[in-house]
Amino acid sequence: LVLGCACGLGPLTGVAAAASTDTIFGSATPTRVDSGDGSAVELGVKFNSSTAGELTGIRFYKASTNTGTHIGNLWSSTGRLLATATFTNETASGWQQVSFANPVAITAGTTYIASYYAPNGHYSSTTGGLSSAVTNAPLQAIGNGTSADGVYAYGSKSAFPTGTYQGSNY
């Protein structure tokens, strides 16, 4: 899952007080475009913002084999679902983006999880991509040394991701 991240889950698009759009990972391509894992899985990244603002949507990087209906989610750090949206008009591969029906107010310094559900697996990733914090102010993906990051949950439906593997950025 490159939460707006450039590795795996490119999920996160934030809008600060001004009308600017911020992402954590920019437009980089994950080191592993197709994991080869065909299992249904929710993939996410823990992040925070140095300023209060509104989160308008999320992004992820898609392999051509990552098929099916993708669902983007924003969670509190305790697992409360704050927003959800279904990705539409996806391209065959590359960065995919979805906007929430309503922007979600986020608080500076608070941890959130942005994730997406890949019903047929084949997600993109960068192993160790979250070993250290990744900052693109005002957004920051939390480094694995601070809090295990690069989260996932296998299952037949979208769910709060809590598993981790080597600080992988999905």
Side-chain angles (χ1 to χ4, degrees):
L1 191 211
V2 184
L3 183 64
C5 329
C7 309
L9 171 208
L12 174 18
T13 303
V15 175
S20 66
T21 298
D22 302 298
T23 67
I24 296 173
F25 301 98
S27 61
T29 301
T31 58
R32 191 169 186 191
V33 173
D34 182 353
S35 65
D37 179 352
S39 301
V41 62
E42 183 93 17
L43 302 151
V45 62
K46 295 178 186 177
F47 73 96
N48 61 37
S49 177
S50 60
T51 61
E54 292 182 324
L55 186 77
T56 59
I58 62 171
R59 307 185 313 144
F60 77 97
Y61 194 90
K62 177 182 174 182
S64 61
T65 50
N66 185 343
T67 60
T69 302
H70 299 100
I71 300 167
N73 297 302
L74 177 65
W75 310 86
S76 72
S77 62
T78 58
R80 185 169 65 99
L81 185 60
L82 303 174
T84 189
T86 301
F87 287 84
T88 58
N89 300 316
E90 293 184 25
T91 58
S93 62
W95 285 99
Q96 311 300 312
Q97 183 168 324
V98 69
S99 296
F100 296 126
N102 298 300
V104 179
I106 60 172
T107 304
T110 299
T111 298
Y112 299 92
I113 292 101
S115 67
Y116 85 102
Y117 183 67
N120 298 310
H122 293 280
Y123 53 88
S124 300
S125 68
T126 296
T127 301
L130 297 171
S131 296
S132 300
V134 177
T135 302
N136 190 1
L139 302 174
Q140 177 183 64
I142 296 170
N144 205 43
T146 301
S147 177
D149 203 356
V151 291
Y152 65 87
Y154 283 98
S156 60
K157 63 181 182 177
S158 189
F160 182 60
T162 58
T164 63
Y165 179 73
Q166 298 182 348
S168 294
N169 184 7
Y170 303 107

